[in-house]
Amino acid sequence: MGYSEDILKLTGGKGFGFASKGSDNNSDEETKNTKAQSIISDINKVVVTEEKPDKHEYEGSLNPQDFVIESDLVTPVIKAVKDEKAKPLIVVVDDDFETLDLIDIYLKRDYTYESFSGPREAVFFLNHHTPEIVFVDCKIHTMKALTFMEIVRTGAGNENVPFVLVGTEEELEEFNLDYLPEYVIGKLKRPVARKELMEFITKVTSKKEEE
């Protein structure tokens, strides 16, 4: 049975927009068959079929989340990669804003520098970051400097972080390095001099590179 006969059965003999005149002429029959095939072809084009995705797109080493699909364009997602040569992180905790501004000038070009005017904010930050060294005001408010340092060292990755006490000459006289924990590696006098600041940082970073 031809396509035209199928369509005539489905449409009650009316067809799709053309009527059968009962002609025995072969050309008329061929014309009807051609039109019927054309209509069926058009119908097939608009039928939506759900195709199964290629298994390689979802299995194996490929991850579909690694790609962004826009229309017919598939592009890989660029993921952030940790920079192994990132600038060393230096942290300063001091409520003297002149000291913070001065250290910022010294460090911002060559180091990643984070400063805090209070110990609370610094503790929260250091719970998630491991610095090369921490400079802390020896007379920091709300808690003793030694208490702050002990809290920081309990954080994962911060067990070996060194500290330097910062203060005026009179303030620092109260702290004898001989009686302080070994992680307190020195004292830095205000106003902070670039040379003295860099000596501490260079000492720590050089030792880490040797290890």
Side-chain angles (χ1 to χ4, degrees):
M1 183 180 293
Y3 286 111
S4 60
E5 296 176 9
D6 289 335
I7 293 173
L8 290 173
K9 275 191 172 184
L10 292 172
T11 59
K14 296 181 180 179
F16 288 100
F18 56 87
S20 174
K21 297 181 181 180
S23 173
D24 293 330
N25 190 300
N26 290 334
S27 62
D28 291 341
E29 185 66 27
E30 290 175 0
T31 300
K32 288 187 288 184
N33 282 333
T34 300
K35 289 183 177 181
Q37 291 178 16
S38 177
I39 293 171
I40 292 173
S41 177
D42 291 339
I43 293 173
N44 288 335
K45 288 180 181 179
V46 298
V47 174
V48 179
T49 58
E50 182 179 355
E51 297 181 357
K52 294 182 179 180
D54 183 359
K55 67 177 182 178
H56 296 294
E57 186 179 351
Y58 294 94
E59 296 178 4
S61 60
L62 295 179
N63 186 344
Q65 294 181 349
D66 291 339
F67 297 86
V68 174
I69 300 177
E70 295 182 6
S71 300
D72 295 328
L73 180 63
V74 180
T75 56
V77 176
I78 305 301
K79 295 183 177 180
V81 178
K82 182 179 179 181
D83 183 4
E84 298 297 337
K85 297 183 179 180
K87 295 179 180 180
L89 173 61
I90 311 298
V91 172
V92 180
V93 185
D94 200 323
D95 57 4
D96 184 87
F97 290 101
E98 290 184 5
T99 297
L100 294 179
D101 290 342
L102 194 58
I103 295 178
D104 177 67
I105 293 171
Y106 295 155
L107 299 181
K108 64 182 179 181
R109 187 186 67 178
D110 300 315
Y111 299 91
T112 299
Y113 166 65
E114 294 289 342
S115 63
F116 302 91
S117 60
R120 178 183 173 84
E121 296 80 5
V123 167
F124 284 138
F125 175 82
L126 291 169
N127 278 339
H128 305 284
H129 300 82
T130 300
E132 299 291 332
I133 188 172
V134 178
F135 294 87
V136 56
D137 184 355
C138 66
K139 293 292 186 178
I140 194 169
H141 62 279
T142 70
M143 73 171 66
K144 294 181 178 180
L146 288 178
T147 302
F148 165 76
M149 291 186 284
E150 287 293 346
I151 292 174
V152 171
R153 285 172 58 84
T154 61
N158 291 335
E159 300 87 353
N160 300 314
V161 172
F163 292 82
V164 173
L165 294 175
V166 182
T168 64
E169 186 172 2
E170 293 76 16
E171 291 172 339
L172 293 173
E173 286 180 354
E174 300 179 24
F175 298 87
N176 188 332
L177 291 178
D178 294 335
Y179 297 98
L180 292 175
E182 61 180 9
Y183 56 78
V184 181
I185 62 173
K187 298 186 288 186
L188 183 62
K189 185 177 66 174
R190 290 197 188 98
V192 175
R194 180 193 296 268
K195 182 180 178 180
E196 295 178 0
L197 175 70
M198 297 310 301
E199 283 178 353
F200 283 116
I201 296 175
T202 302
K203 178 181 178 180
V204 171
T205 55
S206 299
K207 182 178 180 181
K208 189 171 183 179
E209 290 175 357
E210 293 176 358
E211 296 175 351

